[in-house]
Amino acid sequence: AQSVSQHNHHVILSEAASLELGCNYSYGGTVNLFWYVQYPGQHLQLLLKYFSGDPLVKGIKGFEAEFIKSKFSFNLRKPSVQWSDTAEYFCAVNRNNNDMRFGAGTRLTVKP
Amino acid sequence: NAGVTQTPKFQVLKTGQSMTLQCAQDMNHEYMSWYRQDPGMGLRLIHYSVGAGITDQGEVPNGYNVSRSTTEDFPLRLLSAAPSQTSVYFCASRPLMGELFFGEGSRLTVL
């Protein structure tokens, strides 16, 4: 079945450590890619998105993601995490302008 | 600008009861959808709509009905609630080319 896979279920880092969260999808053809963040008790908010063009996308709060078409991947990165980045992160894929499918999420805990 | 508004925020039902989760958006988005969020499973798509009068099933449609009579509204109906439907439900909308905007969520408990 076509899907969105996030390999890390729970990541624990210390402040100032670098972050990389993996996301792979199995859809063929043209896709739109997204990363969303959900802070505790809140709804999902967009971090960044990729539609076309430069495969290195910069988002809010210092996050970036790289689209590697050959690997069907869209990994999220941040050079130096802060305690306030503690949240759950979701990768999402929209294919052919239809429904948007989400990965299972990665919970990030940043220790002060 | 209200964005996506969901009601109610919290609801407790008994098994077999029916209810409707309301969702309204004021951004004139063509696309609207309903997701449920369960621990360890991310967001799973229940139903979606690409415009008034058009609806389609997502990954987990069983036990839920939707309708889209206007661009603004997309209610989700639980016909006969079951404990397996205990979850947090999110309504979301987007323009046909764009990112999703989410409501605040509705926490449903079925006893």
Side-chain angles (χ1 to χ4, degrees):
Chain A
Q2 295 171 327
S3 67
V4 181
S5 299
Q6 292 183 240
H7 314 296
N8 313 103
H9 297 294
H10 188 194
V11 173
I12 303 173
L13 295 173
S14 299
E15 275 193 315
S18 64
L19 170 71
E20 180 160 2
L21 302 181
C23 174
N24 287 89
Y25 61 94
S26 60
Y27 299 99
T30 302
V31 293
N32 300 322
L33 301 161
F34 307 82
W35 275 97
Y36 283 84
V37 61
Q38 186 178 32
Y39 298 102
Q42 297 188 23
H43 64 289
L44 277 76
Q45 303 168 45
L46 182 70
L47 270 181
L48 48 79
K49 60 187 177 185
Y50 172 79
F51 279 44
S52 64
D54 189 343
L56 185 61
V57 179
K58 294 194 183 300
I60 62 171
K61 304 186 181 187
F63 286 92
E64 65 179 30
E66 185 175 13
F67 171 50
I68 303 179
K69 189 173 182 179
S70 61
K71 294 185 178 180
F72 296 86
S73 71
F74 190 55
N75 292 354
L76 180 71
R77 299 194 291 249
K78 185 171 183 179
S80 177
V81 295
Q82 301 173 321
W83 177 80
S84 58
D85 293 324
T86 293
E88 192 155 16
Y89 293 81
F90 294 92
C91 179
V93 178
N94 171 250
R95 183 176 65 92
N96 292 337
N97 224 13
N98 288 323
D99 57 22
M100 188 175 294
R101 300 297 175 101
F102 284 79
T106 297
R107 185 156 62 98
L108 172 66
T109 301
V110 180
K111 295 183 175 180
Chain B
N1 189 350
V4 179
T5 303
Q6 288 180 236
T7 57
K9 287 187 168 44
F10 300 94
Q11 183 72 49
V12 178
L13 291 177
K14 295 181 180 178
T15 296
Q17 287 185 316
S18 63
M19 76 157 298
T20 299
L21 296 175
Q22 302 290 346
C23 177
Q25 53 95 5
D26 62 0
M27 297 173 282
N28 203 31
H29 288 165
E30 298 94 338
Y31 180 97
M32 295 186 74
S33 54
W34 277 101
Y35 290 86
R36 60 177 289 173
Q37 183 177 24
D38 303 288
M41 304 190 75
L43 277 78
R44 291 181 291 168
L45 182 66
I46 304 171
H47 286 284
Y48 66 99
S49 167
V50 296
I54 305 168
T55 63
D56 209 344
Q57 296 181 349
E59 302 167 86
V60 288
N62 291 342
Y64 307 95
N65 274 359
V66 291
S67 60
R68 185 92 180 271
S69 56
T70 67
T71 300
E72 294 78 19
D73 300 300
F74 191 47
L76 178 72
R77 296 182 186 85
L78 282 70
L79 305 175
S80 178
S84 61
Q85 294 178 303
T86 293
S87 187
V88 180
Y89 292 85
F90 287 98
C91 180
S93 72
R94 62 173 173 88
L96 284 183
M97 287 292 292
E99 72 267 24
L100 280 173
F101 293 81
F102 284 87
E104 297 288 326
S106 299
R107 184 174 293 275
L108 175 66
T109 301
V110 183
L111 302 176

